[in-house]
Amino acid sequence: MSTELLWCEDCGKSLQGDCKLHGPLIRVKDRVIPSRARLTLPHYLTLRLLEMRAGNHQVLGVFAKKPIQKRTQFGPYVGNLSLNASQCQDGKLVFQVLKDGKRYFLNAPDEEFGNWMMFVQPARNEKEQTLVAHQYQGEVFFTTVKNIDPHTELKFWYAAEYLKFMEISTVVIKEESDLCVSPPPLATLQS
């Protein structure tokens, strides 16, 4: 049996291409549905394209569609837990959590298994930070640090105690008189 042949039920045989006697098949494709991560996005948030990278890779950000109050908590962050940081090295942000007395690495593998929180970008400075990432009962949550206006991008940075837990020292950069921090490199997480 060849996988390169089409079946014609009217002729009762497999054919190379469309049937010359009965014509082409009417092909119906599946409807495209959003990924799990996109489906979990709360109704008052939206995704926007931030940039296109090589290989048609989209970098998305999460934006408010309506005002969001300070102290609003989102989560938990959904991803894969691993005891080994090297299993998480796919260029995506990795969090650490303490669960059942063990330190795990948490990352969002892809849109089919993660939730919308995987699209939230890290803040580059205090001014653009709208969320703080923190651990609670072995899971990671984001909580707003100020009131957020519509059309504002949600960006996070780590709570001070969470940074200590992850044993990360922040990188400080001066940029246009703002104090900037960058996400911890994965190499730091492996130590």
Side-chain angles (χ1 to χ4, degrees):
M1 179 173 157
S2 172
T3 59
E4 302 301 315
L5 300 177
L6 285 174
W7 177 256
C8 178
E9 181 63 26
D10 295 321
C11 293
K13 57 184 174 181
S14 294
L15 304 168
Q16 191 86 27
D18 291 326
C19 179
K20 292 181 177 146
L21 181 61
H22 300 102
L25 296 172
I26 300 167
R27 292 179 173 88
V28 178
K29 293 185 179 186
D30 286 351
R31 186 177 71 167
V32 177
I33 59 168
S35 65
R36 180 195 187 284
R38 292 170 191 251
L39 288 172
T40 62
L41 190 70
H43 67 85
Y44 52 89
L45 299 175
T46 189
L47 294 176
R48 289 191 193 155
L49 180 65
L50 298 176
E51 67 178 275
M52 287 293 286
R53 293 192 180 153
N56 257 355
H57 175 71
Q58 296 181 337
V59 177
L60 301 171
V62 178
F63 290 78
K65 291 183 353 185
K66 69 170 200 140
I68 302 171
Q69 287 183 322
K70 180 180 179 178
R71 300 185 46 79
T72 300
Q73 185 182 63
F74 299 105
Y77 187 96
V78 175
N80 284 340
L81 286 179
S82 172
L83 288 169
N84 187 348
S86 65
Q87 293 176 0
C88 298
Q89 283 199 356
D90 57 2
K92 295 186 177 154
L93 209 52
V94 177
F95 296 98
Q96 294 180 48
V97 293
L98 186 63
K99 209 170 193 143
D100 303 323
K102 293 182 185 173
R103 183 182 296 255
Y104 290 92
F105 297 90
L106 171 67
N107 77 334
D110 63 42
E111 290 188 34
E112 293 307 321
F113 299 102
N115 68 349
W116 68 273
M117 293 171 71
M118 69 184 285
F119 300 117
V120 178
Q121 301 298 316
R124 295 173 298 178
N125 56 54
E126 282 187 46
K127 184 179 177 185
E128 70 179 23
Q129 179 185 2
T130 57
L131 305 168
V132 64
H134 58 93
Q135 181 182 193
Y136 177 68
Q137 297 184 342
E139 298 188 285
V140 174
F141 293 85
F142 292 163
T143 302
T144 57
V145 296
K146 57 187 167 188
N147 291 328
I148 300 172
D149 294 325
H151 312 292
T152 302
E153 183 177 5
L154 277 61
K155 289 191 170 195
F156 81 93
W157 192 245
Y158 307 91
E161 286 186 13
Y162 191 39
L163 273 174
K164 286 179 191 173
F165 164 76
M166 294 197 314
E167 298 171 348
I168 296 169
S169 59
T170 58
V171 177
V172 179
I173 304 167
K174 287 286 187 183
E175 181 182 291
E176 299 174 2
S177 74
D178 264 336
L179 178 67
C180 297
V181 286
S182 61
L186 289 176
T188 306
L189 296 177
Q190 293 179 344
S191 52

